[in-house]
Amino acid sequence: MKPNLLVLVTVTAALLGGCAKPPDLAPLQSAVVARHARVGATLAKGDFGRSVSHAVTTSTDLGHGDAALRQAQASLLAESGPFLPQVSVGLQSTGEPGFSVGSFASLSQLIYDGGASASRQAAARARVLGSQVGRLDAASSAALGAVQAWAQVVTTRALADAAEHSLQALEATTAKIEARTKAGLGSSAEALTAQSRLANDRAALAMAQSDVLQAEAIFAEVFGAPPKPGIALPPPAPNLPQAGAEGSPLLIRAQAEVFAAEADRTAALAGRMPALSLSLSAIPGEQAVSGLGAQQALSQARGRKARIAAAEAQVEARRVDLDATRRELDSRLRILSAQKRAIDGRVQAASTAAAANQANLEIARSQFQAGTRSLIELLDAERETLSSEQVQIQADHDRAVVGYAILAASGDLLDVFGIVLPAQPAAYQVHG
C-alpha cells in the first residue's frame, strides 16, 4: 500500500471511529407508534359520541396539530440528504482573449462529518414524533372542549327553566297580593315588595336566557350545527387507568423535546471534527481531477464553544420542562380525582337541600294563605328553593364533566370515543 494512501486510510478510520452518536430514539418511537388504548370505546356510538368525533376531526386545534406535524416532517426531509452525491454543472471563462466560456461538471460526496448529520436527523425525527403526540393532545383538547360545550348547553337551559318556573310562581303570588290589596285586605307595602322581587327575577331570567344563547352559539361553533332540543348531560366517563399520566401526550411530547435537544447537543459537539468529502471535477477536453478534501473552520473556536454551551443549556431546559410537565399533570390529576370523589357528596347534598326547600315552600304557601306567614317569609322560601335548585343543576354539570377532564389530562379521552387519527394528516379544510 502506498504511504500516502495508508496515511489517508488511517486518518479516515480514526475520524470515523470518533463519530458522535445521537441518542437512541427507540424508546420514544415505541411510546408513540406502539401506543395502545387503555380504555374501551364505550361512547363511540350514539348521537353524543358521533357529534364529539365530528367536532374533533373538524376542529382548528387538530388543524394546528396537523400543520405542526407537516412542518416537522419537512424539517426531517431537509436533514435527510447530506450524504447524497452533489452534482454541479455550469459555465466558466476559458481564459482565452475575448469572451469565451467553457462548460464544467463536478461531483462531490460527503463521507464524514463527525456524526453531525446523523445527529441533526435524530433531532428532526424526535420532533416529528413529538408532533405526532402533539396532534393527539390537540385532538384531546378539542374533544374535551366539545364535551364541555355540550354540557354547558344542557346546564344553561336547565338554569333558565328553573328561573322561568320561579318567575311564574312569583307572578302568581304577586297577582294574589295585588288582588288582596285592591280588596283592602293587604298593604301597599306588600305589593311593592312583591313587585321589587318580581323585577329582580325577571332580570335574572333575562340573564339566564342570555347565557343559553351564548352556550348555544359556542355549541354551533364547535359542532357545526345548533343543539337539538332536549339533549341530556353527557353519560359518565370511564375511570382513570391505573398508570395515570404516564401515557399523556403532553408528557411524551416533553420527552421528545429532551431527545431532540440531546441530538442537537451531539450535532454541536460533532462540529469540532473536520468534514471529509470526495470530489471529482471535469472540463471537456481535459483530464478529470479527483481527490479527498477536508473542511474545518479554524477561526470559529469561540463560536463553536458558544454553540455547544447553548446546546447544553437547551438540554437542561428541556429536562426541567419535562419534570415540570410531569408534576403539573400529576397535580392536575390529583385535584380532578379529588373533585370527582367529592362530587357525589355534593350532588347528594344538593338534591337533599332542593327537596327540603321545595317542601318548605309548599308549607310557606299554605301558611301564607292562612295568614300565619308573612309575605317576606314566603318570598324568601321561593328564593331559597330556586337557589338550591340552581346548586343541584351545577353539581350535576360538574359530575358529568369532571370524568372527561381527568381522561383528557391522562391522554385517554380520544379512546373513549374511538377516535383514531390518520398517520398522515390531511390538508386542512377551511370551513366557511
Side-chain angles (χ1 to χ4, degrees):
M1 182 178 292
K2 295 181 180 180
N4 291 340
L5 183 57
L6 178 60
V7 172
L8 177 60
V9 171
T10 302
V11 172
T12 303
L15 290 174
L16 292 175
C19 278
K21 293 183 179 180
D24 182 14
L25 299 182
L28 179 63
Q29 180 87 16
S30 176
V32 176
V33 177
R35 179 184 178 274
H36 63 278
R38 303 188 298 178
V39 295
T42 56
L43 301 179
K45 299 179 181 180
D47 185 54
F48 172 66
R50 288 192 298 267
S51 297
V52 171
S53 297
H54 174 73
V56 169
T57 56
T58 58
S59 70
T60 55
D61 289 340
L62 181 57
H64 286 303
D66 288 345
L69 175 56
R70 285 193 293 269
Q71 184 177 4
Q73 290 172 335
S75 297
L76 176 59
L77 181 63
E79 295 292 349
S80 299
F83 283 94
L84 295 176
Q86 305 295 317
V87 180
S88 302
V89 294
L91 298 175
Q92 65 180 7
S93 173
T94 62
E96 298 178 0
F99 182 76
S100 60
V101 294
S103 61
F104 73 92
S106 65
L107 173 66
S108 178
Q109 173 65 63
L110 180 66
I111 60 173
Y112 174 79
D113 65 354
S117 298
S119 297
R120 288 194 295 267
Q121 288 180 35
R125 190 171 293 107
R127 292 188 172 97
V128 167
L129 294 171
S131 296
Q132 287 178 341
V133 291
R135 290 174 72 219
L136 293 176
D137 181 61
S140 182
S141 297
L144 180 60
V147 171
Q148 292 172 335
W150 183 289
Q152 191 64 16
V153 166
V154 177
T155 299
T156 54
R157 284 177 174 178
L159 290 172
D161 288 343
E164 185 174 5
H165 293 156
S166 177
L167 177 62
Q168 291 172 351
L170 183 56
E171 287 175 339
T173 300
T174 303
K176 293 178 181 179
I177 292 172
E178 290 177 344
R180 289 175 53 182
T181 301
K182 290 179 181 179
L185 301 177
S187 65
S188 59
E190 286 185 338
L192 290 175
T193 299
Q195 288 291 344
S196 175
R197 292 286 183 93
L198 189 61
N200 290 337
D201 279 16
R202 283 173 176 164
L205 175 59
M207 183 174 297
Q209 292 172 337
S210 176
D211 291 340
V212 172
L213 293 177
Q214 181 178 355
E216 289 178 344
I218 294 174
F219 184 102
E221 180 182 355
V222 171
F223 292 95
K228 298 177 182 179
I231 61 174
L233 284 172
N239 292 327
L240 174 70
Q242 292 184 351
E246 286 304 314
S248 170
L250 275 177
L251 186 62
I252 298 176
R253 187 174 188 178
Q255 293 170 343
E257 289 298 324
V258 172
F259 278 104
E262 290 175 345
D264 286 337
R265 177 184 59 186
T266 305
L269 292 171
R272 297 178 299 183
M273 305 296 291
L276 299 180
S277 61
L278 289 173
S279 62
L280 174 66
S281 59
I283 300 176
E286 299 185 12
Q287 185 178 2
V289 179
S290 62
L292 176 67
Q295 182 179 358
Q296 173 69 18
L298 299 179
S299 61
Q300 299 296 324
R302 181 173 298 179
R304 192 159 50 243
K305 289 180 179 179
R307 286 192 294 272
I308 293 174
E312 293 280 1
Q314 284 296 318
V315 171
E316 185 66 23
R318 297 294 78 80
R319 287 174 177 170
V320 172
D321 290 343
L322 173 60
D323 184 58
T325 300
R326 180 178 286 106
R327 293 187 183 188
E328 180 183 352
L329 287 173
D330 289 342
S331 175
R332 188 185 306 173
L333 286 177
R334 282 196 301 270
I335 292 172
L336 289 172
S337 298
Q339 291 177 353
K340 185 177 181 181
R341 289 192 297 270
I343 196 67
D344 289 336
R346 279 182 55 199
V347 171
Q348 181 62 38
S351 178
T352 302
N357 279 287
Q358 184 63 42
N360 179 60
L361 176 60
E362 297 299 329
I363 295 174
R365 285 171 176 169
S366 300
Q367 292 178 342
F368 176 74
Q369 290 292 337
T372 57
R373 273 208 184 185
S374 66
L375 172 64
I376 296 299
E377 290 175 319
L378 174 59
L379 296 179
D380 286 345
E382 290 180 344
R383 176 174 292 179
E384 290 297 326
T385 300
L386 174 60
S387 177
S388 61
E389 187 176 0
Q390 291 171 334
V391 170
Q392 182 180 7
I393 291 170
Q394 191 60 52
D396 289 337
H397 168 274
D398 294 345
R399 179 171 62 178
V401 172
V402 67
Y404 294 94
I406 292 174
L407 293 179
S410 67
D412 299 288
L413 185 55
L414 296 182
D415 299 325
V416 174
F417 296 101
I419 300 174
V420 179
L421 301 182
Q424 183 61 32
Y428 179 72
Q429 300 294 324
V430 178
H431 299 273

